[in-house]
Amino acid sequence: MLGTVGSLMILVCALGAAATLVHDPLIGRGPLSWVRYGHGKALATMIIYLGFLLLVWAWVRLGRHVLAERVGTRAVLIASACWTLPLVFSPPLFTRDVYSYIAQGALVLNGFDPYVFGPVALDIEHVVQNVHSFWQDTPAPYGPLFLLLAKGVVWVTGANLILGVVVMRLVMMLGLGLLLWSLPGLVRHLGGRLPVTLWLVVAGPMMVVHLIGGPHNDLIMVGLLAAGTLCVLDRRHVLGIVLVTMAAAVKATAVIALPFLVWVWAGHLRSTPLRNFLRAVSVSLATFVLTFAALTLAAGLDLGWVFTLGSSSKIVNWLSIPTGIGELIHTLIGIFVDVNKSWVVNIVRALGALLLLVFMVRQWWL
């Protein structure tokens, strides 16, 4: 009940303080329009954060019961459903990314190459003006599968952005369904307790508020990644590689899992270690190439997204550890010498990427 109250508080006040439409047909000019500006918006923002605090507190309290084994899987699923359902119909929370997704789907639907043109190329003013100004002229950094899904959402919902946000959120929640299907099997293979797993993954504030309330397309990627990993562990190797490739065709990050799953596949084969490894690598690589090619052709796109993957590097945010370290170093150096901030941050980012690569190769070999 505590988490549900918090979720409902977020839903109601999101109409004023979330990522609402620039010209909202619901309450934009009505008697409740005061919640969109001035003290009204400040009050709505405060209540959203209070609702978020209640949701986090409820999650922590639920976790105490789960860890003490006083409640099981059913209780966690009921709680997460009650907390999630109100936010399915909420305006986007803490981000305007979903409007970018819709605009990118509209680009594909209208015959533009989303890897060349940003949303500003659209002759649809009410779509473009709701995309954050930072991203209006930025090509899509997402893979062909996600753009195909976004195109389908725009084809179904047309010019109705409110319906578009809800349908886009429901499409992304397919990833949640894949997680719910995958987690029991992953626990069976890898250990742990299912109620704890569901509490951390499905009921957590990151899932409820960020991935669903956002919404963010990482949810589809993670769902496909979990399902693919389970299939490989269950010895359905080709299907598993196909699913993980589909995850990478949403966001490229998922491709990191493939070299590790090759070892799992090789471990299931009965020959010499070298032959097992070469066989797993060759079939995995062929499966990846064929699956990715099929998705790219189905979307009617090319590989231009490879060159747009660096789009997020335009964001300078200290929550990224290398970026934060770079900003700190620049601040310290700036006491004595005037140095270009972007140079320092980019050098530290490059070192961070190199360190990550070394770490991944080491873990892969181990």
Side-chain angles (χ1 to χ4, degrees), residues 24-38:
D24 188 0
L26 292 179
I27 63 174
R29 296 180 178 273
L32 295 177
S33 60
W34 58 271
V35 79
R36 293 284 172 84
Y37 57 86

PDB file of all heavy atoms in Angstrom, residues 24-38:
ATOM      1  N   ASP A  24      -0.176  20.645 -24.374  1.00  0.00           N
ATOM      2  CA  ASP A  24      -0.881  19.479 -23.869  1.00  0.00           C
ATOM      3  C   ASP A  24      -2.385  19.654 -24.029  1.00  0.00           C
ATOM      4  O   ASP A  24      -2.970  20.598 -23.466  1.00  0.00           O
ATOM      5  CB  ASP A  24      -0.529  19.262 -22.395  1.00  0.00           C
ATOM      6  CG  ASP A  24      -1.084  17.953 -21.867  1.00  0.00           C
ATOM      7  OD1 ASP A  24      -1.727  17.228 -22.632  1.00  0.00           O
ATOM      8  OD2 ASP A  24      -0.872  17.669 -20.680  1.00  0.00           O
ATOM      9  N   PRO A  25      -3.052  18.760 -24.765  1.00  0.00           N
ATOM     10  CA  PRO A  25      -4.496  18.893 -24.937  1.00  0.00           C
ATOM     11  C   PRO A  25      -5.312  18.527 -23.700  1.00  0.00           C
ATOM     12  O   PRO A  25      -6.513  18.811 -23.649  1.00  0.00           O
ATOM     13  CB  PRO A  25      -4.797  17.921 -26.087  1.00  0.00           C
ATOM     14  CG  PRO A  25      -3.712  16.898 -25.994  1.00  0.00           C
ATOM     15  CD  PRO A  25      -2.497  17.635 -25.524  1.00  0.00           C
ATOM     16  N   LEU A  26      -4.677  17.902 -22.697  1.00  0.00           N
ATOM     17  CA  LEU A  26      -5.426  17.464 -21.522  1.00  0.00           C
ATOM     18  C   LEU A  26      -5.730  18.614 -20.568  1.00  0.00           C
ATOM     19  O   LEU A  26      -6.889  18.940 -20.312  1.00  0.00           O
ATOM     20  CB  LEU A  26      -4.653  16.355 -20.784  1.00  0.00           C
ATOM     21  CG  LEU A  26      -4.544  15.014 -21.519  1.00  0.00           C
ATOM     22  CD1 LEU A  26      -3.751  14.027 -20.692  1.00  0.00           C
ATOM     23  CD2 LEU A  26      -5.943  14.453 -21.792  1.00  0.00           C
ATOM     24  N   ILE A  27      -4.673  19.240 -20.036  1.00  0.00           N
ATOM     25  CA  ILE A  27      -4.910  20.317 -19.058  1.00  0.00           C
ATOM     26  C   ILE A  27      -4.114  21.570 -19.390  1.00  0.00           C
ATOM     27  O   ILE A  27      -3.974  22.465 -18.553  1.00  0.00           O
ATOM     28  CB  ILE A  27      -4.573  19.848 -17.624  1.00  0.00           C
ATOM     29  CG1 ILE A  27      -3.090  19.491 -17.492  1.00  0.00           C
ATOM     30  CG2 ILE A  27      -5.441  18.691 -17.207  1.00  0.00           C
ATOM     31  CD1 ILE A  27      -2.685  19.176 -16.068  1.00  0.00           C
ATOM     32  N   GLY A  28      -3.601  21.633 -20.622  1.00  0.00           N
ATOM     33  CA  GLY A  28      -2.755  22.756 -21.007  1.00  0.00           C
ATOM     34  C   GLY A  28      -3.399  24.112 -20.832  1.00  0.00           C
ATOM     35  O   GLY A  28      -2.760  25.078 -20.422  1.00  0.00           O
ATOM     36  N   ARG A  29      -4.696  24.227 -21.131  1.00  0.00           N
ATOM     37  CA  ARG A  29      -5.396  25.509 -21.019  1.00  0.00           C
ATOM     38  C   ARG A  29      -6.593  25.422 -20.081  1.00  0.00           C
ATOM     39  O   ARG A  29      -7.401  26.351 -20.014  1.00  0.00           O
ATOM     40  CB  ARG A  29      -5.858  25.984 -22.399  1.00  0.00           C
ATOM     41  CG  ARG A  29      -4.718  26.289 -23.359  1.00  0.00           C
ATOM     42  CD  ARG A  29      -5.248  26.758 -24.703  1.00  0.00           C
ATOM     43  NE  ARG A  29      -4.163  27.090 -25.620  1.00  0.00           N
ATOM     44  CZ  ARG A  29      -3.574  28.267 -25.691  1.00  0.00           C
ATOM     45  NH1 ARG A  29      -3.950  29.238 -24.883  1.00  0.00           N
ATOM     46  NH2 ARG A  29      -2.589  28.491 -26.554  1.00  0.00           N
ATOM     47  N   GLY A  30      -6.746  24.322 -19.368  1.00  0.00           N
ATOM     48  CA  GLY A  30      -7.894  24.133 -18.490  1.00  0.00           C
ATOM     49  C   GLY A  30      -7.682  24.727 -17.118  1.00  0.00           C
ATOM     50  O   GLY A  30      -6.656  25.371 -16.836  1.00  0.00           O
ATOM     51  N   PRO A  31      -8.635  24.496 -16.208  1.00  0.00           N
ATOM     52  CA  PRO A  31      -8.554  25.066 -14.858  1.00  0.00           C
ATOM     53  C   PRO A  31      -7.406  24.511 -14.030  1.00  0.00           C
ATOM     54  O   PRO A  31      -7.054  25.081 -12.996  1.00  0.00           O
ATOM     55  CB  PRO A  31      -9.912  24.699 -14.250  1.00  0.00           C
ATOM     56  CG  PRO A  31     -10.396  23.524 -15.049  1.00  0.00           C
ATOM     57  CD  PRO A  31      -9.887  23.748 -16.429  1.00  0.00           C
ATOM     58  N   LEU A  32      -6.823  23.377 -14.464  1.00  0.00           N
ATOM     59  CA  LEU A  32      -5.701  22.783 -13.723  1.00  0.00           C
ATOM     60  C   LEU A  32      -4.344  23.153 -14.322  1.00  0.00           C
ATOM     61  O   LEU A  32      -3.321  22.624 -13.902  1.00  0.00           O
ATOM     62  CB  LEU A  32      -5.840  21.257 -13.699  1.00  0.00           C
ATOM     63  CG  LEU A  32      -7.051  20.700 -12.934  1.00  0.00           C
ATOM     64  CD1 LEU A  32      -7.102  19.183 -13.057  1.00  0.00           C
ATOM     65  CD2 LEU A  32      -6.994  21.102 -11.465  1.00  0.00           C
ATOM     66  N   SER A  33      -4.348  24.074 -15.274  1.00  0.00           N
ATOM     67  CA  SER A  33      -3.094  24.420 -15.947  1.00  0.00           C
ATOM     68  C   SER A  33      -2.083  25.065 -15.009  1.00  0.00           C
ATOM     69  O   SER A  33      -0.888  25.114 -15.314  1.00  0.00           O
ATOM     70  CB  SER A  33      -3.368  25.355 -17.124  1.00  0.00           C
ATOM     71  OG  SER A  33      -3.987  26.550 -16.684  1.00  0.00           O
ATOM     72  N   TRP A  34      -2.536  25.545 -13.864  1.00  0.00           N
ATOM     73  CA  TRP A  34      -1.633  26.177 -12.897  1.00  0.00           C
ATOM     74  C   TRP A  34      -0.544  25.213 -12.415  1.00  0.00           C
ATOM     75  O   TRP A  34       0.504  25.641 -11.926  1.00  0.00           O
ATOM     76  CB  TRP A  34      -2.419  26.701 -11.692  1.00  0.00           C
ATOM     77  CG  TRP A  34      -3.204  25.627 -10.979  1.00  0.00           C
ATOM     78  CD1 TRP A  34      -4.475  25.232 -11.241  1.00  0.00           C
ATOM     79  CD2 TRP A  34      -2.742  24.803  -9.894  1.00  0.00           C
ATOM     80  NE1 TRP A  34      -4.853  24.213 -10.400  1.00  0.00           N
ATOM     81  CE2 TRP A  34      -3.806  23.933  -9.555  1.00  0.00           C
ATOM     82  CE3 TRP A  34      -1.546  24.714  -9.178  1.00  0.00           C
ATOM     83  CZ2 TRP A  34      -3.708  22.997  -8.538  1.00  0.00           C
ATOM     84  CZ3 TRP A  34      -1.448  23.782  -8.158  1.00  0.00           C
ATOM     85  CH2 TRP A  34      -2.514  22.932  -7.851  1.00  0.00           C
ATOM     86  N   VAL A  35      -0.802  23.882 -12.541  1.00  0.00           N
ATOM     87  CA  VAL A  35       0.166  22.911 -12.046  1.00  0.00           C
ATOM     88  C   VAL A  35       1.377  22.813 -12.969  1.00  0.00           C
ATOM     89  O   VAL A  35       2.363  22.152 -12.648  1.00  0.00           O
ATOM     90  CB  VAL A  35      -0.533  21.533 -11.905  1.00  0.00           C
ATOM     91  CG1 VAL A  35      -0.669  20.835 -13.264  1.00  0.00           C
ATOM     92  CG2 VAL A  35       0.209  20.632 -10.924  1.00  0.00           C
ATOM     93  N   ARG A  36       1.332  23.540 -14.104  1.00  0.00           N
ATOM     94  CA  ARG A  36       2.393  23.474 -15.078  1.00  0.00           C
ATOM     95  C   ARG A  36       3.440  24.576 -14.919  1.00  0.00           C
ATOM     96  O   ARG A  36       4.425  24.581 -15.629  1.00  0.00           O
ATOM     97  CB  ARG A  36       1.813  23.549 -16.492  1.00  0.00           C
ATOM     98  CG  ARG A  36       0.966  22.336 -16.873  1.00  0.00           C
ATOM     99  CD  ARG A  36       1.882  21.162 -17.187  1.00  0.00           C
ATOM    100  NE  ARG A  36       1.144  19.932 -17.375  1.00  0.00           N
ATOM    101  CZ  ARG A  36       0.577  19.563 -18.508  1.00  0.00           C
ATOM    102  NH1 ARG A  36       0.643  20.351 -19.553  1.00  0.00           N
ATOM    103  NH2 ARG A  36      -0.047  18.414 -18.583  1.00  0.00           N
ATOM    104  N   TYR A  37       3.219  25.534 -14.057  1.00  0.00           N
ATOM    105  CA  TYR A  37       4.163  26.651 -13.977  1.00  0.00           C
ATOM    106  C   TYR A  37       4.174  27.220 -12.561  1.00  0.00           C
ATOM    107  O   TYR A  37       3.283  26.976 -11.742  1.00  0.00           O
ATOM    108  CB  TYR A  37       3.799  27.744 -14.986  1.00  0.00           C
ATOM    109  CG  TYR A  37       2.391  28.283 -14.841  1.00  0.00           C
ATOM    110  CD1 TYR A  37       2.105  29.319 -13.958  1.00  0.00           C
ATOM    111  CD2 TYR A  37       1.345  27.750 -15.589  1.00  0.00           C
ATOM    112  CE1 TYR A  37       0.817  29.809 -13.823  1.00  0.00           C
ATOM    113  CE2 TYR A  37       0.056  28.223 -15.458  1.00  0.00           C
ATOM    114  CZ  TYR A  37      -0.208  29.253 -14.580  1.00  0.00           C
ATOM    115  OH  TYR A  37      -1.488  29.726 -14.434  1.00  0.00           O
ATOM    116  N   GLY A  38       5.218  27.988 -12.273  1.00  0.00           N
ATOM    117  CA  GLY A  38       5.314  28.722 -11.011  1.00  0.00           C
ATOM    118  C   GLY A  38       5.239  27.832  -9.792  1.00  0.00           C
ATOM    119  O   GLY A  38       5.797  26.729  -9.736  1.00  0.00           O
TER     120      GLY A  38
END
